[in-house]
Amino acid sequence: MRVDVVLRYIGMVMLFIAGFMLLSAGISWLGGMDSSFYPLLLAALLTALLGAFPLIFVEKKEQLSNKEGFCIVVGSWLVACAVGMFPYLIWGGEFTLVNALFESVSGFTTTGATVLTDVEALPRGMQFWRIASTWIGGMGVVMFALVILPSMGRSKMTLSNVELSTLAKDNYRYRTQIIVQILLVVYLGLTVLATLSLKLAGMDWFDAVCHGMSASATSGFSTRNASVAYYNSPLIDTILIFVMATAGIHFGLIYATVTGKRNNIFRSEVTRWYIGMLLAGGIVIAVSLYAADLYPTLSAAFRYGLFQFVSLTTTTGFATADTNLWTPLAVVVLIFGSLVSASAGSTSGGIKINRLLLAGKMMRVRLKQQQHPNAVIRIRMDGVVQETELLHAVMTFIVAYLVLILLGTVFATVCGADLTTAFSGAVAMIGNVGPGFGAVGSMNNYATLPGALKVFDALLMLLGRLEIFGLIQLFFMKWWR
């Protein structure tokens, strides 16, 4: 493997990140050159210098091996999280080394969890950098996992094999450059649509841009301590429900639907299950809340219930209510949504509903085969026969995912967290959801957690965003062929 070539491409990613740091410094300058201007400018220069060295001393290579492509992807994520700490550390405030690491990883992995007790105290430049990091992470997941890896030939990595399910493959039958354009158009288009809609709904331009970027990335970072609850607006809630739900759909399907292609949202089995799950979850929570007399009307209960279920299922993490006060049934449904999450090929994290559907079909086939041992039964999704290798990868991922939740829960309890906080926090971290329950509920933050647990949670966030095996395989490269 050519390490210098890997560093060259990682350097390009660092220059891209430095550009957003410079843009954040520009926001600070336009706002009167607040206290974040020089930290952001210095961080941008430092990141740009680190990224420029490999570009200067390493020649451009057209062909990349599978191993090099993998290292570029994983290395870019790790380096992004590292340099993303620079603005926080230079600015200071609540950002200790551990807090800066947690906030940076939370941003780039689009988890949206925060260790800040007063987000509104941040200067605008620093607030925009938080949102920019999570927006880069939302685009980066799709760009790296679904664009770069497939362009490098036949890959044996679990990351690309699982993410590029039949649904993803059916919607990306284009050249790599066309795929890049599709992703950019959908992602930018959704962000612009969200921003304009939120502005018309009553937000100022800064908040509209920040929440539009955050919702499109399914992150949940907000400029307000109370998150979306600060606005207390049914119209803003409705807009964000639409944006979050749309961002949880396969981007290729969104493009196909807008351009009038045959393989669109309305023909997708996965999307039908996904939308049905969102509506069913919202209704169950609404009935539960209304029956418990937590809201005066069923419509109010549905508004808050649907928002929170869509927010957690798409792993966005915006909040309009304190879910710690909700009924046990509502909490269980919300945790279920956090586990399953949205579609592959979107910006959301979690297990993905694609895998849940395939797992359900595998169980059904198993029952049929016990009744008819000699029968040959094929598993299909959206009319396409699923390969045995893919089905094995799906089950392996689900098992590994649940094992990591168990490990996260145990480690959190060892660090002193109660069981509710430990379990829901582990689900939120590995699924890149953001809020959990207990001490890390929708109206709380992760500031009170011990430093060791924050570092461990940062690792869980990275594992979740890199589809577990994407990060783990980095430590087993000597066995690659």
Side-chain angles (χ1 to χ4, degrees):
M1 184 182 71
R2 299 165 295 179
V3 177
D4 55 341
V5 176
V6 172
L7 292 177
R8 174 184 172 83
Y9 281 89
I10 293 177
M12 294 172 62
V13 174
M14 294 176 69
L15 290 179
F16 176 72
I17 294 172
F20 273 87
M21 290 180 180
L22 195 59
L23 176 61
S24 301
I27 297 294
S28 173
W29 180 76
L30 291 174
M33 197 176 291
D34 56 42
S35 61
S36 65
F37 176 76
Y38 288 110
L40 285 166
L41 183 62
L42 181 59
L45 292 175
L46 180 59
T47 303
L49 284 174
L50 292 174
F53 274 110
L55 294 177
I56 295 173
F57 296 107
V58 180
E59 294 183 3
K60 181 179 179 181
K61 304 292 183 181
E62 294 296 336
Q63 295 290 60
L64 296 174
S65 68
N66 184 53
K67 186 185 293 187
E68 289 166 349
F70 172 83
C71 289
I72 290 169
V73 173
V74 178
S76 295
W77 280 105
L78 296 177
V79 170
C81 292
V83 300
M85 298 167 58
F86 291 167
Y88 301 138
L89 291 172
I90 297 173
W91 186 76
E94 294 185 69
F95 292 113
T96 62
L97 180 62
V98 172
N99 283 355
L101 172 66
F102 185 97
E103 201 77 8
S104 179
V105 174
S106 180
F108 280 105
T109 59
T110 72
T111 303
T114 184
V115 292
L116 297 175
T117 57
D118 190 1
V119 173
E120 295 177 25
L122 290 178
R124 282 205 164 183
M126 198 61 64
Q127 284 192 341
F128 187 80
W129 167 242
R130 289 176 74 242
I131 304 298
S133 68
T134 206
W135 195 73
I136 295 170
M139 179 180 288
V141 168
V142 181
M143 294 286 284
F144 289 144
L146 300 182
V147 177
I148 295 179
L149 282 176
S151 68
M152 294 176 181
R154 189 176 181 85
S155 174
K156 297 181 180 179
M157 292 180 290
T158 305
L159 173 62
S160 59
N161 283 340
V162 174
E163 275 302 309
L164 289 177
S165 61
T166 54
L167 176 60
K169 293 176 182 176
D170 287 343
N171 288 283
Y172 283 110
R173 293 172 178 172
Y174 308 100
R175 289 181 292 109
T176 301
Q177 187 59 36
I178 302 300
I179 296 173
V180 173
Q181 293 173 7
I182 290 174
L183 296 173
L184 289 176
V185 167
V186 174
Y187 197 65
L188 289 173
L190 186 60
T191 303
V192 171
L193 177 63
T195 299
L196 294 177
S197 299
L198 291 171
K199 171 58 180 174
L200 292 174
M203 285 188 182
D204 60 47
W205 274 115
F206 182 77
D207 281 4
V209 170
C210 289
H211 285 85
M213 293 170 67
S214 186
S216 301
T218 59
S219 165
F221 268 163
S222 176
T223 57
R224 303 294 179 179
N225 292 328
S227 191
V228 180
Y230 170 86
Y231 303 98
N232 192 26
S233 168
L235 180 56
I236 288 176
D237 291 355
T238 302
I239 292 170
L240 288 176
I241 287 173
F242 173 79
V243 175
M244 292 186 295
T246 303
I249 298 174
H250 192 296
F251 275 21
L253 283 176
I254 296 174
Y255 175 81
T257 304
V258 173
T259 56
K261 297 287 192 300
R262 178 179 174 82
N263 53 332
N264 53 44
I265 289 174
F266 306 104
R267 292 178 174 270
S268 169
E269 176 186 4
V270 175
T271 305
R272 288 196 299 270
W273 276 95
Y274 165 64
I275 295 175
M277 180 180 67
L278 293 183
L279 292 175
I283 291 172
V284 170
I285 293 174
V287 172
S288 174
L289 298 178
Y290 181 68
D293 204 23
L294 293 178
Y295 293 97
T297 63
L298 187 58
S299 60
F302 183 70
R303 167 193 163 190
Y304 288 99
L306 181 63
F307 185 96
Q308 289 303 138
F309 188 68
V310 171
S311 179
L312 294 192
T313 300
T314 59
T315 70
T316 306
F318 283 139
T320 56
D322 187 353
T323 53
N324 277 331
L325 305 177
W326 284 8
T327 64
L329 175 59
V331 171
V332 168
V333 174
L334 288 173
I335 291 177
F336 171 79
S338 300
L339 285 169
V340 176
S341 302
S343 308
S346 69
T347 57
S348 68
I351 292 176
K352 305 289 195 311
I353 193 169
N354 305 61
R355 295 190 181 100
L356 183 66
L357 279 176
L358 287 174
K361 292 186 177 191
M362 290 173 69
M363 288 188 288
R364 185 178 63 183
V365 166
R366 178 59 181 166
L367 290 173
K368 288 184 177 180
Q369 286 180 332
Q370 285 185 326
Q371 299 169 2
H372 309 284
N374 296 324
V376 178
I377 305 173
R378 300 290 187 182
I379 295 178
R380 299 174 182 269
M381 189 158 66
D382 287 333
V384 180
V385 175
Q386 305 297 298
E387 298 294 334
T388 302
E389 182 181 355
L390 174 63
L391 298 176
H392 288 165
V394 165
M395 297 309 296
T396 302
F397 179 89
I398 292 176
V399 171
Y401 194 92
L402 297 178
V403 168
L404 284 174
I405 290 176
L406 175 61
L407 291 176
T409 302
V410 171
F411 188 83
T413 55
V414 170
C415 291
D418 61 88
L419 187 58
T420 299
T421 300
F423 174 70
S424 64
V427 171
M429 293 295 98
I430 190 67
N432 305 126
V433 178
F437 296 91
V440 293
S442 58
M443 290 299 170
N444 302 101
N445 53 57
Y446 287 74
T448 59
L449 298 184
L453 184 53
K454 290 176 183 176
V455 174
F456 188 81
D457 283 347
L459 176 61
L460 286 181
M461 286 187 276
L462 278 169
L463 283 167
R465 207 55 178 160
L466 293 173
E467 296 289 314
I468 301 176
F469 298 101
L471 182 59
I472 291 176
Q473 285 193 80
L474 187 66
F475 302 100
F476 297 94
M477 293 194 63
K478 65 179 181 180
W479 289 309
W480 282 28
R481 293 183 179 179

